[in-house]
């Protein structure tokens, strides 16, 4: 294969990240990267770094909508300053029950991904918007969807099946799992020494954890939607279904229309709960640490609950895997919050997890377990864009 510029578009709920790589045979060279962050605010950020990591552009912009945000990127990509892409890879958060493989994007595929937007309501609307815009922006250039759900296709039925009647299962209600591109990137970085029994905790604004055997996903905390599993920045994580029924009935007293009531419930579950809901202060771990230092009890409880949930999940995955060789922390909190890693692991000595306080005093890639820890504990930043490029190159060569 001759060398090929591949553009990666990775949208979050309020950001669009973009990067480009020169892909040739086994090599991948980053050409540039950038992001538009803070969509929906007057103080959005638009930045671009060149191949050496130097800031080429760093602006604060009014970003009232995703259309304004994407236009900034589109103008930059068409400015002639950067090479035109030969192919484009899009992060697609959820393929629903029918789209299981990473594949070429067509208008029909976008419609199908959009039809499952209720499964990832914070991510899919902006994701499909960008796919449609990219098809218009670069006519004739192949665009590929790379799914977060793809990595989790190996989970056995006992984990994917929900304990509900068949008719709901037939409608696509099951465990899909998310953050799959991040998990794939951790496996890629561990190769060729992927441990047999591995737990990866992706702790970012959205948080999930997976049990992985021989590089294949065995179980993952997020189920039908990214609101499930571990408590996240603004999402509940797993809660008693009776709570949802209780809340829905209360909401229906003022919103008798069922869809309005469901929308109001969704806002509480996915935007107002989690660390934000418990602390009453912020969804952002840095703010919570500042609040804790100032003696804020709500912030302390929120972070304690976060750590407690993750420790319980690690325990259940050790049982599921029948032991543990390695625990990996990744994501913004996993990579940077020294205290969270120490607090999560502090009660896990019985599982063979022993963190060395000095080694843990780092941000970014490191091995943080003690020499006598039976389980290796590591911090590994994800490399999601590289995984998207790898899938694009593989699909192009088909
Ligand atoms: P992500 O979604 O992976 O970008 O992660 C975002 C989360 O990482 C937010 O809760 C941030 O507060 C948290 N985070 C980023 N940097 C730090 C840091 N230095 N210390 C603690 N938390 C951090």
């Amino acid at each position: 294969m001759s060398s090929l510029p591949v553009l990666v578009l990775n949208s979050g709920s309020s950001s669009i990240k973009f990067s480009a790589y020169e892909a040739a045979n086994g090599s991948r060279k980053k050409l540039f990267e950038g992001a538009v962050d803070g969509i929906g605010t007057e103080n959005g950020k638009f930045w671009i770094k060149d191949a050496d990591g130097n800031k080429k552009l760093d602006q604060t912009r009014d970003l009232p909508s995703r259309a304004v945000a994407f236009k900034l990127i589109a103008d930059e990509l068409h400015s002639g300053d950067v090479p035109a892409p030969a192919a484009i890879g899009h992060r697609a958060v959820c393929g629903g029950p029918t789209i299981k493989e990473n594949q070429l994007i067509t208008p029909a595929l976008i419609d199908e991904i959009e039809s499952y937007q209720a499964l990832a309501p914070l991510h899919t609307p902006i994701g499909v918007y960008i796919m449609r815009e990219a098809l218009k922006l670069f006519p004739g250039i192949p665009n590929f969807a790379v799914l977060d759900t793809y990595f989790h296709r190996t989970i056995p039925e006992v984990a994917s099946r929900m304990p509900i009647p068949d008719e709901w299962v037939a409608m696509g209600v099951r465990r899909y799992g998310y953050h799959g591109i991040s998990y794939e990137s951790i496996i890629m970085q561990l190769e060729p020494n992927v441990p047999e029994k591995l737990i990866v905790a992706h702790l970012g604004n959205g948080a999930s954890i997976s049990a992985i055997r021989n590089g294949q996903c065995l179980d993952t905390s997020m189920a039908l939607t990214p609101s499930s599993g571990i408590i996240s920045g603004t999402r509940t994580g797993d809660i008693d279904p009776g709570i949802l029924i209780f809340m829905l009935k209360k909401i229906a007293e003022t919103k008798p229309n069922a869809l309005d009531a469901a929308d109001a419930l969704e806002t509480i579950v996915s935007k107002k709960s989690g660390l934000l809901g418990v602390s009453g202060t912020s969804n952002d771990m840095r703010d919570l640490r500042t609040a804790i230092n100032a003696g804020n009890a709500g912030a302390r409880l929120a972070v304690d609950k976060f750590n407690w949930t993750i420790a319980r999940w690690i325990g259940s995955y050790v049982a599921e895997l029948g032991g543990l060789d390695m625990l990996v922390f990744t994501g913004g909190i996993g990579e940077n919050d020294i205290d969270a890693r120490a607090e999560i692991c502090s009660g896990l000595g019985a599982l063979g997890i022993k963190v060395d306080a000095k080694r843990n005093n780092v941000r970014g890639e490191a091995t943080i377990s003690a020499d006598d820890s039976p389980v290796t504990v590591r911090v590994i930043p994800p490399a999601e864009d590289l995984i998207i490029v790898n899938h694009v190159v593989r699909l192009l060569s088909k």
Side-chain angles (χ1 to χ4, degrees):
M1 184 188 84
S2 59
S3 113
L4 204 71
V6 177
L7 175 68
V8 174
L9 295 171
N10 181 343
S11 51
S13 44
S14 63
S15 68
I16 309 168
K17 293 183 192 152
F18 57 101
S19 62
Y21 286 78
E22 191 77 39
N25 292 323
S27 81
R28 307 280 182 259
K29 182 175 171 286
K30 192 189 279 182
L31 300 174
F32 61 86
E33 68 175 320
V36 186
D37 205 353
I39 299 171
T41 71
E42 287 174 4
N43 297 313
K45 299 274 177 231
F46 177 36
W47 59 265
I48 301 177
K49 285 183 190 168
D50 65 17
D52 300 319
N54 300 316
K55 280 235 164 117
K56 234 183 91 185
L57 192 102
D58 193 4
Q59 299 176 343
T60 300
R61 307 282 295 233
D62 181 11
L63 297 175
S65 66
R66 62 191 177 205
V68 170
F70 190 72
K71 178 140 190 337
L72 291 176
I73 299 174
D75 288 348
E76 186 62 30
L77 294 176
H78 264 332
S79 66
D81 289 351
V82 296
I88 303 171
H90 295 253
R91 174 185 179 211
V93 167
C94 183
T98 52
I99 309 163
K100 296 183 180 146
E101 300 292 329
N102 301 324
Q103 58 191 280
L104 186 71
I105 294 176
T106 61
L109 186 85
I110 301 175
D111 290 346
E112 198 166 347
I113 292 174
E114 191 171 39
S115 73
Y116 302 122
Q117 67 172 306
L119 303 184
L122 298 184
H123 296 88
T124 296
I126 187 165
V128 294
Y129 172 80
I130 289 166
M131 287 176 197
R132 290 193 176 109
E133 291 299 308
L135 289 186
K136 281 190 258 167
L137 195 62
F138 295 107
I141 303 294
N143 283 249
F144 296 93
V146 178
L147 302 162
D148 264 315
T149 42
Y150 174 77
F151 178 69
H152 303 295
R153 71 198 181 289
T154 52
I155 60 178
E157 198 179 359
V158 71
S160 67
R161 166 78 195 218
M162 291 292 133
I164 51 171
D166 276 347
E167 59 187 292
W168 292 94
V169 175
M171 283 186 240
V173 179
R174 49 162 288 167
R175 183 181 307 279
Y176 290 103
Y178 295 94
H179 292 139
I181 300 171
S182 166
Y183 291 121
E184 273 189 77
S185 82
I186 301 301
I187 303 294
M188 175 186 77
Q189 293 178 78
L190 290 172
E191 277 167 350
N193 300 312
V194 182
E196 183 196 343
K197 296 167 184 173
L198 170 69
I199 294 176
V200 180
H202 178 112
L203 310 180
N205 194 34
S208 74
I209 183 163
S210 288
I212 299 164
R213 178 174 287 144
N214 294 322
Q216 298 214 320
C217 190
L218 184 68
D219 199 358
T220 191
S221 60
M222 284 180 177
L224 180 73
T225 73
S227 293
S228 52
I230 294 171
I231 164 177
S232 290
T234 58
R235 308 175 208 152
T236 55
D238 286 359
I239 53 171
D240 171 1
I243 296 170
L244 301 178
I245 297 162
F246 173 83
M247 287 163 75
L248 194 57
K249 285 183 176 168
K250 277 273 169 221
I251 292 167
E253 287 171 11
T254 52
K255 290 188 191 301
N257 178 295
L259 285 179
D260 289 345
D263 283 346
L265 182 61
E266 182 176 65
T267 299
I268 297 169
V269 165
S270 62
K271 295 189 179 158
K272 295 196 167 169
S273 295
L275 293 173
L276 173 65
V278 178
S279 68
T281 306
S282 172
N283 62 304
D284 190 293
M285 190 56 99
R286 282 164 294 199
D287 297 343
L288 293 174
R289 289 293 177 196
T290 307
I292 289 170
N293 289 337
N296 183 314
R300 184 68 262 174
L301 179 62
V303 175
D304 283 349
K305 186 153 185 74
F306 181 78
N307 296 334
W308 172 83
T309 312
I310 295 159
R312 290 169 85 212
W313 229 289
I314 291 171
S316 74
Y317 281 168
V318 171
E320 219 170 320
L321 285 161
L324 186 63
D325 299 316
M326 186 184 287
L327 169 65
V328 174
F329 287 100
T330 192
I333 298 170
E335 289 161 48
N336 296 302
D337 196 312
I338 295 158
D339 290 340
R341 294 191 303 250
E343 289 158 7
I344 290 165
C345 294
S346 64
L348 300 180
L351 304 181
I353 296 169
K354 238 172 115 177
V355 164
D356 179 282
K358 229 176 179 171
R359 287 182 187 160
N360 186 39
N361 196 18
V362 288
R363 301 212 153 87
E365 173 134 29
T367 297
I368 59 169
S369 40
D371 285 337
D372 62 347
S373 176
V375 173
T376 304
V377 185
R378 292 185 59 177
V379 180
I380 305 179
E384 292 171 309
D385 288 0
L386 274 179
I387 293 293
I388 294 175
V389 172
N390 289 349
H391 281 296
V392 167
V393 169
R394 180 178 59 83
L395 290 163
L396 270 176
S397 69
K398 266 192 176 173

